[in-house]
Amino acid sequence: LFMGFFSEELNIFQPLTNTNFGVPFDKQPISISGFYKYKSGDVFYRVPEGGKIGEAKPEDGTRDKGAVNAILYEVSSDEDKYITGAKTYEDPRIIAKAIFTCAEVDDYTSFKADLVYVAGKSYDSSKKYRFAIIASSSAEGDTFSGAPGSILYLDDIEVSYIPN
């Protein structure tokens, strides 16, 4: 689940590039919050770095975790490229991010994750930004590692921000 859209021209060879994260945002976000419940799948599979999906191996003793994250990144125009699922959190345009890792819980549990600004970067109301919340039942899903059957439920997601 994410704020944004899928690319019109899907790339089956690089599936992480098909996600376009973010919507225009003209406020200074402070945090994301809401409620979640999470159940990990039974067997965690790890894909080695640089590996292929078919190379996944079960990893004894590792439990999957869910994730609810947010990014705020600067763009110079509406036509700027979107941040995608490929190395999302390493993009140099990101000025702030919030990371929340979901533990296993049976009942809806509240969470809050503050946006932390990247060193040397700050919000400037005269600039253009995109904001995205990115949620996954496998926190390492962007490396194709995780446990089949992991389930993340979310409710009442809220973005706190400073209005202009």
Side-chain angles (χ1 to χ4, degrees):
L1 176 67
F2 64 92
M3 293 171 62
F5 62 96
F6 282 102
S7 175
E8 291 178 14
E9 296 179 21
L10 295 179
N11 182 339
I12 61 171
F13 300 106
Q14 295 180 334
L16 293 176
T17 63
N18 295 322
T19 52
N20 290 283
F21 293 141
V23 295
F25 205 74
D26 64 353
K27 316 240 179 317
Q28 181 179 355
I30 300 169
S31 65
I32 57 172
S33 60
F35 295 87
Y36 81 98
K37 59 182 177 176
Y38 182 73
K39 172 75 174 136
S40 173
D42 292 332
V43 179
F44 185 91
Y45 291 88
R46 171 127 4 243
V47 173
E49 188 172 334
K52 296 180 181 154
I53 297 169
E55 297 174 348
K57 303 271 189 270
E59 192 170 279
D60 292 336
T62 301
R63 298 292 293 168
D64 206 356
K65 296 179 182 104
V68 183
N69 304 327
I71 57 172
L72 179 69
Y73 66 99
E74 186 179 337
V75 294
S76 56
S77 74
D78 293 339
E79 286 76 41
D80 272 8
K81 290 181 92 172
Y82 283 80
I83 288 179
T84 70
K87 300 186 189 242
T88 303
Y89 303 100
E90 298 172 19
D91 193 291
R93 295 176 294 165
I94 293 176
I95 70 158
K97 54 187 157 184
I99 306 290
F100 179 77
T101 303
C102 304
E104 288 192 78
V105 291
D106 293 329
D107 297 317
Y108 277 103
T109 303
S110 65
F111 77 90
K112 181 180 177 192
D114 294 328
L115 272 95
V116 176
Y117 282 78
V118 175
K121 297 189 178 187
S122 61
Y123 181 82
D124 179 343
S125 62
S126 69
K127 295 182 178 180
K128 290 185 176 219
Y129 298 98
R130 288 188 189 130
F131 179 74
I133 297 173
I134 305 159
S136 176
S137 60
S138 290
E140 296 182 59
D142 59 342
T143 66
F144 300 104
S145 297
S150 293
I151 302 171
L152 173 63
Y153 294 97
L154 296 172
D155 198 8
D156 291 330
I157 302 299
E158 183 175 293
V159 178
S160 298
Y161 59 87
I162 299 172
N164 290 339

